[in-house]
Amino acid sequence: MKRMHVHVAVEDLQKSIGFYSALFDSEPAVVKSDYAKWMLDDPRMNFAISTRGREPGLDHLGIQVENKTELREVYARLAKAGGTVVEQGATACCYAKSEKSWIDDPAGIAWETFHTTGENINYGDGSGENEARVAHAKACCVTQATTAAVSACCK
């Protein structure tokens, strides 16, 4: 069986360990002075974070659930993890209809949590993703040019 692997560069390892432990409802399997790793079964993934001198960053990651019960569980984890949750609700994006919310982790990476409810004939307007990214960009005091570039990502 395959396991997805994701590695994220972070600035504050302890703050990030707290966030991800809440989000995954699990403590890391490995913790070093500059590294932590979760070997998760739900979702099946090898997820690692490190502070090895790289710029923090990644476009966005996501957790897709199978039903509304799981979605409520993940939304509860978002609240426990802390930060601002952008509740997009029912939307059409990426050729699918879904219900979703967004949250930024301590490194500023956007996390999308969603339940797909059907297909959509077009991509969608990306309004929820744009709102989440622009809200983060404004909070982080980036330049207007960067905010405009981020806003245009899904158009």
Side-chain angles (χ1 to χ4, degrees), residues 74-123:
V74 173
Y75 282 0
R77 291 179 185 179
L78 294 180
K80 183 179 176 184
T84 302
V85 177
V86 176
E87 296 179 15
Q88 187 175 0
T91 188
C93 185
C94 308
Y95 299 98
K97 295 176 185 173
S98 60
E99 180 179 335
K100 63 175 73 176
S101 287
W102 296 82
I103 190 170
D104 283 350
D105 74 4
I109 298 166
W111 275 82
E112 169 188 27
T113 57
F114 63 100
H115 173 233
T116 301
T117 57
E119 294 182 15
N120 198 51
I121 59 171
N122 57 33
Y123 182 85

Side-chain angles (χ1 to χ4, degrees), residues 41-58:
D41 290 325
D42 182 20
R44 190 158 173 80
M45 176 174 39
N46 169 339
F47 184 87
I49 60 175
S50 68
T51 57
R52 299 174 141 200
R54 293 191 177 114
E55 286 291 318
L58 185 64

Side-chain angles (χ1 to χ4, degrees), residues 129-151:
E129 182 177 1
N130 289 339
E131 178 184 338
R133 290 169 186 252
V134 170
H136 173 72
K138 287 179 182 173
C140 293
C141 303
V142 298
T143 66
Q144 288 291 10
T146 302
T147 301
V150 169
S151 297

